[in-house]
Amino acid sequence: MFDLLWLIPALPLAGFVILVFIGPRLSNLGVAIVGVGSIGLSAVAAILTGIEFVISPPPAHAYTLIVRPWMQVGSFAPEIALYLDALSVVMILIVTFVGFLIHLYSAENMIEEEGYSRFFAYMNLFVASMLVLVLADNLVFLYLGWEGVGLCSYLLIGFWYKEAANGQAAIKAFIVTRIGDTAMAIGLFFLFNSLGTLQIQEIMHRAVEQWPVGSGAAILAAALLLGGALGKSAQVPLQTWLPDAMAGPTPVSALIHAATMVTAGVYLIARTNILFTLAPPVQFAVGIIGCATLLIAGFSAMVQADIKRVLAYSTISQIGYMFLALGVGAWSSAIFHFVTHAFFKALLFLGAGVVITGLHHERDMFKMGGLRKQLPLTFWTFLVGAASLAALPLVTGGFYSKDPIVWHAWMAPRGGLWLGMGGLIGVLVTSIYSFRMVFLTFFGEPKAYISKRPTVLIHLPLVVLAILSVIIGFIELPHTLGNVRIFSNFLSTALPAAAAADAAAQGETIFEILCAVITLVGIYVAYILFLQRPKYADDLVAHATAATAHRLWFSGWGFDRLYDKLFVGPFVWVARINSSDVVDLIYSGLAGLAQAFHRMLSSTQSGIIRHYAMGIAIGAVLAIAIMVFT
């Protein structure tokens, strides 16, 4: 079965090729069969591969499949090769299975949109690129997938390209992530120049042998890779593109900007974990950035009116938790939160899509209300997703994945108090904005009525994701519930054990109870402010200090305005001044010379035959003279 590993990315790629060349000539049903079916077959292949990996693990718990040579430049000869270990097994299962559910949802949700085949072609290409990214055996092949998902993100954010705002959002995402991608590309050059290879496992081996802990080379390499991770995963200071990316269709937001692509940075750091352990300052910076991001984005999510922007800021915040886990050495906890987040955030986006479509594309939560009776199944599944996002104790996957991260942050030997406090504040903020979203959308008096009811193709993914958002937590129980660490044990062959200090079980138990209480307090605060006594929220915002904070958080803490002042404005000013520089004058001169010759030669086309005859005679004389005298 491992020899067929190449089929997992090849099937979505084949779907993309078919849809590009014959998709416009297919019926909508044919497009859906190719688009959804290719991802479904890939998911089946991934599931079978995962089962075989568990039942009959390969030697050293890793398997490499060399598909074919790729290129060779001197000693640089990367191959098209796939690497399967516990980490990549988890990644391919999430990408293909969640991707299949979202494609199934899209088959109905996008059926009335112009460019139906184009949409599925882009989505298939994205899944193929993401699978290349997570299965790549070397960093060059990984970078191919990395750029592929970036391209698809651009195409899908701007899918409705006839609206200028959508095109601008796509360009913004492309440019901001390009900053991180450039840092990553420089990092690849540095790694090859320093270690002589870009094969990931060989890099880790040589780095341990050649670079002592804290060496400048290790710090530079890790910092450059971190730059790439920040851009793709929308972490401070490169987080500004993700809220605007909500201009794309809702299934795109669910797949690319919640469940998969935005966690590519998390995967990159986890995959190259040895480089970060060799660079403690950079790893500590990962934790600080994650903590800052989860708070900044969490507070912004609390004041948004657009339901998709709430979920966008929530995604940034939850990835901040993953970075926090990576920064304190809780590697498997970061990946486990990625898994639970993929389920409940995809569920929330798809549920929001049902609401938005049913309300004629209305996204303002303050124009909704009372929808739980009109959309009962959507309400209950959305409630499950929100509860998991808020880490509702004992019954949701989010509780079992988030609380260990905060615990490990609290126990970190460096900065543990501040990182742990940041994580706890994030728990409170998350529970408030999660249930604010639920109460404003589904409770209270109806302000609008659903005009389009979801079908079974819409409901099925919601139900499956809701079930997974609950049961997934029970494979990683905390100490208080038996300490069944199935997920961490599975990843132990691919990732280091958590770096947190060995603490007394009693202390961890108290901490878990504290997190649970904070979550319940946050839900109660949301209930009071946005359902029982909404006047309290209005009075609070009317206060001058609170109004200022509201404006600041609503604008994403002013990062866009700051970047416009620091970078965009000066760049445009310099470009305007430099529009007629010396280089431009050279090409303008060549163009002017060509125009002058054109005018001179065109004047000879007078239409008078005797002039043409005289020209022929003169030419003949000159030709004969040249032949005679030379």
Side-chain angles (χ1 to χ4, degrees):
M1 187 66 196
F2 292 147
D3 291 337
L4 298 179
L5 184 62
W6 62 275
L7 280 174
I8 297 175
L11 287 167
L13 185 60
F16 162 74
V17 173
I18 293 171
L19 291 171
V20 164
F21 286 103
I22 67 172
R25 295 192 292 274
L26 294 175
S27 65
N28 283 350
L29 177 60
V31 169
I33 289 173
V34 174
V36 180
S38 61
I39 307 301
L41 291 174
S42 181
V44 170
I47 292 170
L48 294 176
T49 300
I51 292 172
E52 182 173 358
F53 188 91
V54 173
I55 296 175
S56 303
H61 298 280
Y63 174 78
T64 301
L65 175 64
I66 299 175
V67 179
R68 55 164 295 162
W70 187 6
M71 65 181 87
Q72 183 167 0
V73 182
S75 61
F76 180 61
E79 298 170 316
I80 297 177
L82 307 177
Y83 182 79
L84 187 71
D85 66 352
L87 177 58
S88 50
V89 166
V90 171
M91 298 300 293
I92 63 173
L93 287 173
I94 295 300
V95 172
T96 56
F97 186 71
V98 175
F100 169 70
L101 292 176
I102 295 173
H103 275 70
L104 189 64
Y105 175 99
S106 303
E108 173 67 23
N109 181 260
M110 297 294 294
I111 197 166
E112 296 179 0
E113 298 292 342
E114 181 182 353
Y116 191 65
S117 65
R118 178 167 57 91
F119 174 82
F120 277 103
Y122 292 164
M123 292 282 275
N124 276 203
L125 179 60
F126 166 78
V127 173
S129 300
M130 189 70 196
L131 290 169
V132 166
L133 192 160
V134 300
L135 284 171
D137 179 62
N138 61 79
L139 288 176
V140 181
F141 199 33
L142 183 150
Y143 195 69
L144 175 66
W146 189 274
E147 293 299 330
V149 297
L151 170 65
C152 294
S153 178
Y154 166 79
L155 294 172
L156 286 163
I157 293 170
F159 178 76
W160 291 313
Y161 59 87
K162 293 182 180 179
E163 297 182 25
N166 297 339
Q168 292 170 358
I171 292 171
K172 180 179 180 179
F174 191 80
I175 291 175
V176 174
T177 56
R178 180 63 50 199
I179 297 170
D181 295 350
T182 302
M184 181 178 173
I186 295 172
L188 301 193
F189 283 113
F190 177 76
L191 284 169
F192 182 76
N193 184 64
S194 301
L195 301 176
T197 182
L198 286 177
Q199 200 276 337
I200 298 174
Q201 302 308 313
E202 187 63 25
I203 285 176
M204 302 300 107
H205 177 70
R206 295 185 186 183
V208 171
E209 288 185 341
Q210 299 180 27
W211 293 343
V213 175
S215 67
I219 290 173
L220 179 58
L224 290 170
L225 293 182
L226 174 59
L230 295 180
K232 201 67 79 184
S233 291
Q235 297 293 282
V236 171
L238 300 179
Q239 83 285 6
T240 56
W241 66 271
L242 186 55
D244 290 351
M246 298 302 104
T250 301
V252 173
S253 303
L255 178 62
I256 298 182
H257 304 125
T260 54
M261 188 200 82
V262 288
T263 56
V266 176
Y267 171 78
L268 177 66
I269 295 175
R271 174 58 74 196
T272 58
N273 61 84
I274 291 177
L275 292 179
F276 286 86
T277 57
L278 291 174
V282 179
Q283 187 177 1
F284 184 57
V286 172
I288 293 175
I289 290 170
C291 186
T293 302
L294 73 89
L295 292 174
I296 288 172
F299 281 108
S300 290
M302 277 206 305
V303 299
Q304 301 300 314
D306 185 327
I307 189 171
K308 285 186 67 176
R309 288 183 74 89
V310 173
L311 294 173
Y313 279 112
S314 170
T315 297
I316 298 172
S317 181
Q318 296 307 302
I319 298 174
Y321 271 106
M322 300 175 208
F323 269 67
L324 175 60
L326 296 170
V328 298
W331 306 98
S332 62
S333 294
I335 301 302
F336 186 50
H337 195 53
F338 152 74
V339 172
T340 61
H341 178 264
F343 292 143
F344 67 68
K345 188 54 65 64
L347 170 60
L348 288 169
F349 266 113
L350 297 185
V354 173
V355 173
I356 293 168
T357 302
L359 295 178
H360 301 286
H361 300 283
E362 178 59 66
R363 291 164 48 167
D364 189 340
M365 294 184 295
F366 291 95
K367 296 180 180 179
M368 300 176 185
L371 296 181
R372 72 184 187 281
K373 296 180 181 178
Q374 301 180 56
L375 297 170
L377 184 59
T378 302
F379 162 66
W380 285 110
T381 54
F382 194 93
L383 181 63
V384 170
S388 190
L389 170 60
L392 188 68
L394 303 180
V395 294
T396 63
F399 170 74
Y400 298 111
S401 64
K402 187 184 294 182
D403 286 4
I405 293 176
V406 183
W407 167 247
H408 285 297
W410 187 272
M411 296 305 298
R414 184 179 180 187
L417 174 62
W418 297 107
L419 296 177
M421 285 296 296
L424 288 174
I425 295 172
V427 169
L428 177 64
V429 170
T430 303
S431 58
I432 292 174
Y433 72 66
S434 298
F435 277 84
R436 169 183 181 264
M437 182 170 52
V438 171
F439 294 141
L440 290 178
T441 304
F442 293 100
F443 287 82
E445 294 298 321
K447 301 182 182 68
Y449 292 91
I450 297 295
S451 61
K452 183 177 180 180
R453 301 287 173 175
T455 64
V456 66
L457 288 182
I458 300 291
H459 280 151
L460 181 60
L462 296 181
V463 172
V464 173
L465 288 169
I467 293 171
L468 290 172
S469 295
V470 173
I471 66 173
I472 190 65
F474 293 98
I475 67 172
E476 191 79 354
L477 297 180
H479 175 82
T480 49
L481 297 178
N483 199 26
V484 180
R485 307 287 186 177
I486 297 175
F487 191 83
S488 295
N489 292 337
F490 177 70
L491 284 179
S492 63
T493 59
L495 295 174
D502 293 330
Q506 183 179 2
E508 185 174 356
T509 301
I510 294 173
F511 196 84
E512 291 162 1
I513 295 172
L514 175 62
C515 287
V517 170
I518 290 175
T519 296
L520 295 175
V521 168
I523 295 172
Y524 181 71
V525 169
Y527 169 74
I528 294 296
L529 293 179
F530 303 106
L531 186 59
Q532 189 180 49
R533 296 286 187 273
K535 186 177 182 299
Y536 291 172
D538 296 336
D539 294 341
L540 181 63
V541 174
H543 191 275
T545 303
T548 301
H550 186 281
R551 288 193 298 271
L552 180 64
W553 298 346
F554 186 82
S555 67
W557 295 76
F559 275 91
D560 281 318
R561 185 176 181 182
L562 176 64
Y563 291 165
D564 283 342
K565 295 291 185 182
L566 291 180
F567 304 112
V568 179
F571 181 84
V572 172
W573 179 75
V574 170
R576 192 173 291 123
I577 292 177
N578 202 37
S579 60
S580 300
D581 62 2
V582 175
V583 176
D584 286 342
L585 290 175
I586 293 173
Y587 294 104
S588 298
L590 290 175
L593 185 62
Q595 290 176 337
F597 275 114
H598 165 73
R599 287 191 295 269
M600 183 178 68
L601 293 173
S602 63
S603 65
T604 64
Q605 304 299 308
S606 61
I608 303 175
I609 296 178
R610 63 177 179 273
H611 289 174
Y612 296 162
M614 182 177 67
I616 293 172
I618 293 172
V621 170
L622 289 174
I624 293 171
I626 291 172
M627 293 175 63
V628 170
F629 292 106
T630 60

